[in-house]
Amino acid sequence: MYRLHIDCNSYFASCEVATRPGTAGKPLVVANDNEQGGGVILALTPEAKAIGLKRGIPLFKVRDLLRRENVIICPADHKKYRRISHKIMSEVVAQGIVQDFVQYSVDEFFGTLPLDDPAELRRYIAKVRNLITTTSGITVGCGCSQTNTLAKSATWFAKHYKAFDGICVLPPEKREQALAQLPLQEVWGVGRQAFRKLSALGVVSALDFVHLPQRQVEQLLTTAGLHTYLELQGIEATQLESHDRRKSIMQSHTFATMITSRDELSDEVARFASRCAEQLRRQNSLCRTVTVFLNTNRYRDDLPQYRNDAVAKFDKPTADTPAIATAAVGLLNSMFRPGYQYKRAGVVLSGIVDDKSCQLDLFNAEADERRRRLMAVTDIINSRFGDETVTFGNL
DNA sequence: TCTGGGGTCCTAGGACCC
DNA sequence: TCTGGGGTCCTAGGACCC
């Protein structure tokens, strides 16, 4: 029995190349779009990496390079990426080789292979990998080992060593040898904080880490860190969270130009709230809590800074757009201070529960039902004719 | 100077991930 | 001029109770 991990290569960029004829082999970057071409690089093709571009840099810092090298710039299209990801998911499930196949994020998957022979595992994984490439145009790296963390480490080898040809099967007897080659900072679950603490002890590789006494790891790191430590030793300690039902839903935006007017900010917050509520209904949930936050531009030392957030609770869980949007706008008004230039704001829904588990209020059942139908109708119209065809005004 | 000892629930913020 | 947008879990500390 082996765990399988599949990771798409430069996912957003690969999706753009796969869906735009004539872009293969050219430098291409995907950047988040904020109206005036602001934004930062989110993903890039190998050709774009080769000319020195990196993930996370703001476009304005590399304007000249982008123009000189004729780099194709694509705005991020998350709907497209989700669609391709679902396609990959359903193709692999239909093929039936991988068991318990789950989507971990938009570009990563985990599953189980009920096999033990490394050569046989490799053959099966090659079939899955080919299937993904031929049906979606996306190339992937595949790693396979005893635990999720080790499988993900194997994927790192599959991607970093050409000889693996995109597939690395890591059997128990090769585990220590592999971990010795795996830099500590590449280990899944080791972030900046843990890296700093472990480096101070002279830990350089994943193997150094697993050779520490468990007592020391417990004292130094959190339980999550301990789980990583155990998984690297081949002991299963993580559970993958299913992503089909979110425990919080957020919509936020960094504005291209700073906003000073309360009305304009209210409109934005109402739109965020409305989109959150739609997402909430799509997963058949209700929320108990809505949070609104707003920030000025943290990069501008020359401007006065202000940031705040506020929370409202509903008497009973709801997915009603006007109720959520009215609450959100109320929170905004309670925090809004004139005289600041606002750069970012957002709405978060939390305290999410299943809509079927919620008791109906006997006295208001009829009104609730009418309200629910109204929401259902607007969702259908918007899904058929495009987002925000129908919205709620006059909040 | 002395000023219990637990338990639970909630929340804010940290750490990590893609 | 221009600096992303989502998520998850854990922990510490306060409020409150007995």
Side-chain angles (χ1 to χ4, degrees):
Chain A
M1 204 83 135
Y2 270 68
R3 293 293 290 163
L4 170 69
H5 175 245
I6 297 178
D7 194 329
C8 301
N9 298 337
S10 315
Y11 186 58
F12 293 179
S14 302
C15 288
E16 295 302 339
V17 171
T19 53
R20 292 169 189 254
T23 54
K26 294 185 180 162
L28 176 151
V29 301
V30 176
N32 64 308
D33 192 26
N34 69 358
E35 301 102 46
Q36 299 188 351
V40 301
I41 296 176
L42 301 175
L44 55 173
T45 58
E47 294 79 12
K49 282 177 193 160
I51 59 172
L53 293 168
K54 285 194 176 63
R55 189 190 140 90
I57 29 180
L59 291 179
F60 75 86
K61 286 196 175 169
V62 287
R63 268 302 163 218
D64 290 345
L65 183 60
L66 293 168
R67 197 169 311 129
R68 197 166 60 239
E69 301 284 345
N70 287 317
V71 177
I72 302 160
I73 304 170
C74 306
D77 180 352
H78 296 280
K79 269 191 184 160
K80 182 194 285 182
Y81 310 147
R82 273 199 298 275
R83 200 182 63 231
I84 293 175
S85 170
H86 284 144
K87 187 172 167 64
I88 291 174
M89 184 75 199
S90 53
E91 292 285 348
V92 173
V93 169
Q95 200 190 27
I97 293 173
V98 186
Q99 299 180 348
D100 307 321
F101 197 57
V102 295
Q103 187 165 2
Y104 176 72
S105 71
V106 76
D107 69 334
E108 271 183 89
F109 308 86
F110 282 96
T112 300
L113 284 168
L115 301 165
D116 284 311
D117 175 54
E120 201 182 356
L121 280 162
R122 218 191 138 79
R123 275 199 302 278
Y124 275 99
I125 297 170
K127 277 191 197 171
V128 173
R129 187 164 181 267
N130 284 337
L131 176 77
I132 294 173
T133 307
T134 49
T135 57
S136 69
I138 306 294
T139 58
V140 297
C142 303
C144 195
S145 190
Q146 299 157 271
T147 63
N148 291 327
T149 306
L150 283 172
K152 194 153 158 140
S153 303
T155 303
W156 184 85
F157 286 103
K159 289 190 174 197
H160 283 78
Y161 292 84
K162 271 223 155 65
F164 283 117
D165 198 21
I167 300 172
C168 172
V169 177
L170 181 57
E173 64 272 17
K174 296 257 180 75
R175 188 178 60 84
E176 294 226 335
Q177 194 190 331
L179 295 187
Q181 306 293 315
L182 181 65
L184 179 66
Q185 64 269 32
E186 299 295 341
V187 173
W188 188 35
V190 174
R192 275 210 310 275
Q193 194 70 13
F195 178 71
R196 196 173 48 75
K197 288 181 184 167
L198 293 168
S199 294
L201 298 175
V203 173
V204 175
S205 69
L207 188 65
D208 298 338
F209 179 39
V210 300
H211 279 170
L212 291 176
Q214 184 165 334
R215 284 269 313 279
Q216 196 174 6
V217 174
E218 285 167 6
Q219 282 168 7
L220 203 64
L221 306 181
T222 60
T223 51
L226 177 64
H227 289 163
T228 300
Y229 170 83
L230 294 172
E231 287 247 323
L232 286 175
Q233 301 182 16
I235 302 163
E236 297 223 38
T238 57
Q239 279 192 330
L240 297 176
E241 193 54 41
S242 158
H243 277 213
D244 49 12
R245 202 167 243 158
R246 304 286 175 190
K247 295 174 176 173
S248 72
I249 290 172
M250 166 159 138
Q251 285 282 325
S252 71
H253 192 60
T254 298
F255 308 119
T257 48
M258 292 185 271
I259 293 180
T260 53
S261 119
R262 177 195 299 237
D263 287 348
E264 219 177 307
L265 216 44
S266 289
D267 287 351
E268 294 288 347
V269 164
R271 282 186 35 232
F272 297 153
S274 168
R275 294 214 297 262
C276 283
E278 268 172 54
Q279 217 180 312
L280 190 63
R281 294 193 291 273
R282 212 177 305 141
Q283 65 167 38
N284 300 315
S285 299
L286 307 170
C287 72
R288 294 181 197 281
T289 308
V290 53
T291 305
V292 176
F293 62 86
L294 73 168
N295 297 333
T296 50
N297 188 342
R298 64 195 162 108
Y299 297 101
R300 293 289 295 270
D301 300 334
D302 54 326
L303 293 175
Q305 298 284 320
Y306 173 61
R307 55 184 301 159
N308 207 345
D309 55 80
V311 183
K313 281 186 201 261
F314 298 106
D315 293 337
K316 58 180 177 139
T318 183
D320 186 83
T321 292
I324 293 171
T326 304
V329 169
L331 292 172
L332 172 74
N333 285 330
S334 74
M335 290 187 290
F336 182 87
R337 302 281 177 273
Y340 290 102
Q341 302 194 43
Y342 295 97
K343 182 64 178 172
R344 180 168 139 88
V347 171
V348 186
L349 304 184
S350 51
I352 289 176
V353 293
D354 193 309
D355 63 359
K356 281 182 279 300
S357 70
C358 180
Q359 279 188 346
L360 274 179
D361 179 340
L362 279 181
F363 300 103
N364 289 316
E366 202 184 319
D368 281 354
E369 179 58 21
R370 274 206 304 276
R371 206 58 183 235
R372 209 186 53 72
R373 283 202 202 132
L374 174 62
M375 293 298 123
V377 169
T378 64
D379 289 342
I380 289 168
I381 293 172
N382 286 336
S383 75
R384 196 170 299 165
F385 300 106
D387 292 343
E388 299 185 20
T389 302
V390 180
T391 59
F392 295 83
N394 305 320
L395 288 164

